[in-house]
Amino acid sequence: MIDRISFFDEFECLKGDCPVACCHGWKVPIDPESVLRYRKEKGKLGLKLRLAMKKEGEFSVFNPLAFRCRFYTKDGLCGLQMQKGESYIPGICRRFPRRMKNYGYFAEESLELACPMAAGLFLRHRDNLLYHETDEIPSYPDTSENDDRDYLFSARKCRNQLIARLQQISPIELFPFIRRMQKYAKAIEIACVNDGILEKPADPGSVNFDEIVLTEEESHKAARFLFSALDTDQLMCHGIYHVALKRRLPLFYQICLRYFEQFDELTIEDADSHLEELFQKYRAAHPDIDALLRDYLIYYLQNHFLQVYEDYSYLRMLSLATLHVHFLFLFFCLYEPTDENDIAVMIATYERHMHHNDDVLEELWKVMPKS
Ligand code: SF4
């Protein structure tokens, strides 16, 4: 059985017209089948392929510095695909931005927002983001490392309940809801430890979200922002910003510079006030922003929550979700996109660096406040 988003089949690559082509800004992992094929390739193309491949741990990648893929042509197309056809390029390039995950008992299919076309579709289908059930059978393998059926279904139920609650809240309740979500994650992890996760993984449904309440101090903080200016700065300086972004993702780099221009000289108290003011001003000018961030969070949870099936880390999952909502909002305030296309490009640029980059995620998780 495949659960799929309604606009999955509407995706069509923008090719040479793409404003942030997927051949920029990240490493391209090469599947073992393609590696073998490229090693056997003869002549000039074979030499070019072997020079372009770089070993990283167990894997081979193209574009190891995450600047621009060597096969990207000046017309904005893939030279490898033009020369040898689509079936010849790495599997990830053929699939992107389609996200297809087989959990063994069911599969889920959606689109990654790191592609501006997919981000545009997300913006146009905000009233219909949830998976639709189909009776199709996935043609791709189950790559999960867990086969605990009961736990998988329980985690899926937990995700779907969170999403259903999110759909019911008023957008202005988003930040307090997210703070509760973080406390909820902690409570599930504590339940996991108490239940003895190794013998019998906890049922995440055993923790009742409705019983999670915020203290007065937490409510007060949540009314202002999800991360203080000090925490925001720690995350910007240790994890998010890197000088190489200037070449990898110029738009992301410019937004980071705007952040430093506005916050660098401020005291901690002034930076908190400025952050709050930025959010308030943006909300006043764009009353839809909280609803948009809520929809982004719904889509994020739908796509990524089941990572807990592999690692049982609810806190990491929901803390990273919190971080993405916070920084995406900050990016809106700093960049002020002008129309829907501009928003799609900004979301795609954000996702490319912040979501599809294991080194960045590891660093952010280390630096992130865990309370
Ligand atoms: S980012 Fe999306 S639209 Fe752009 S080239 Fe890649 S797949 Fe095509």
Side-chain angles (χ1 to χ4, degrees), residues 11-23 26 76 93 96-97 114-118 352:
F11 170 74
E12 215 176 307
C13 177
L14 296 165
K15 299 194 176 112
D17 294 329
C18 183
V20 264
C22 39
C23 317
W26 51 16
C93 302
F96 185 80
C115 159
M117 176 64 180
R352 192 147 322 164

Side-chain angles (χ1 to χ4, degrees), residues 335-347:
Y335 177 60
E336 298 193 72
T338 49
D339 57 23
E340 196 173 275
N341 279 343
D342 212 15
I343 294 176
V345 169
M346 193 197 78
I347 291 178

Side-chain angles (χ1 to χ4, degrees), residues 246-367:
K246 191 174 183 177
R247 279 185 66 195
R248 286 181 187 162
L249 287 169
L251 175 60
F252 196 105
Y253 178 76
Q254 279 168 26
I255 297 174
C256 288
L257 291 192
R258 285 185 198 178
Y259 166 81
F260 291 122
E261 274 164 24
Q262 293 199 23
F263 284 87
D264 252 6
E265 303 292 319
L266 302 180
T267 62
I268 293 176
E269 291 75 25
D270 288 350
D272 271 344
S273 304
H274 185 56
L275 187 63
E276 194 178 354
E277 201 180 290
L278 268 183
F279 287 170
Q280 279 172 357
K281 266 196 191 160
Y282 199 88
R283 280 186 171 118
H286 306 271
D288 182 46
I289 186 65
D290 285 294
L292 175 54
L293 292 170
R294 182 190 59 186
D295 294 341
Y296 169 83
L297 179 60
I298 287 172
Y299 195 75
Y300 181 91
L301 292 177
Q302 184 170 247
N303 277 355
H304 305 295
F305 187 90
L306 289 188
Q307 178 61 36
V308 299
Y309 181 48
E310 313 282 343
D311 64 13
Y312 296 90
S313 186
Y314 289 83
L315 188 58
R316 182 184 157 108
M317 159 53 50
L318 294 179
S319 298
L320 285 173
T322 306
L323 177 141
H324 289 311
V325 172
H326 175 76
F327 276 97
L328 194 60
F329 192 10
L330 182 58
F331 270 41
F332 268 100
C333 299
L334 294 168
Y335 177 60
E336 298 193 72
T338 49
D339 57 23
E340 196 173 275
N341 279 343
D342 212 15
I343 294 176
V345 169
M346 193 197 78
I347 291 178
T349 307
Y350 175 87
E351 286 269 309
R352 192 147 322 164
H353 183 62
M354 295 288 281
H355 191 71
H356 293 272
N357 193 326
D358 289 345
D359 297 344
V360 170
L361 289 174
E362 271 321 304
E363 204 47 42
L364 291 176
W365 179 234
K366 261 193 249 161
V367 176

